[in-house]
Amino acid sequence: MSTMITTECINCGACEPECPNTAIYEGGVPWNGDGAAHPALAADVYYIVPEKCTECVGFFDQEQCAAVCPVDCCVPNPDDPETEDQLLAKARRIHPDHAFATDFPSRFRKK
Ligand code: SF4
């Protein structure tokens, strides 16, 4: 499931540079994808674009936004469940030039 930012966000901006997929945007700022700009998904707080969120699968064993958020408001979206395979496929689409090793990092494999 993609990660989401709740309305508890205090707009500190700590998460945005940590995302390996540039899936995080400031409230009111359009997001970029497929070569086009799209309307912001939130007006007042930072938001995560589900189409770009891989829960950091392929790059890290924990969602990097959740790791740095000072108020713990980056949480799994229960309405958007995705498997590790689906998330890795998304990562491959976003990073076509990146070679993912067979033992790629993933929160699903975290011990
Ligand atoms: Fe909001 Fe947390 Fe991101 Fe800060 S780190 S902008 S509080 S979601």
Side-chain angles (χ1 to χ4, degrees), residues 5 9-15 46 69-71 73-74:
I5 293 173
C9 173
I10 57 172
N11 288 317
C12 73
C15 55
Y46 277 72
C69 181
V71 292
C73 68
C74 301

Side-chain angles (χ1 to χ4, degrees), residues 21 26 30 47 49 52 67 71 79-80 82 87-88 91 97 109:
N21 304 315
E26 190 173 359
Y47 65 92
V49 178
K52 298 175 76 174
V71 292
D79 296 327
D80 187 20
E82 292 174 287
L87 292 163
L88 183 63
D97 298 329
R109 301 169 183 218

Side-chain angles (χ1 to χ4, degrees), residues 8-9 12 17 25 27-28 33-34 40 46 56 62 75 78 102 104-105 107:
E8 305 299 309
C9 173
C12 73
Y25 293 82
D34 298 324
Y46 277 72
C56 290
Q62 180 189 6
V75 297
T102 51
F104 60 87
R107 74 171 184 81

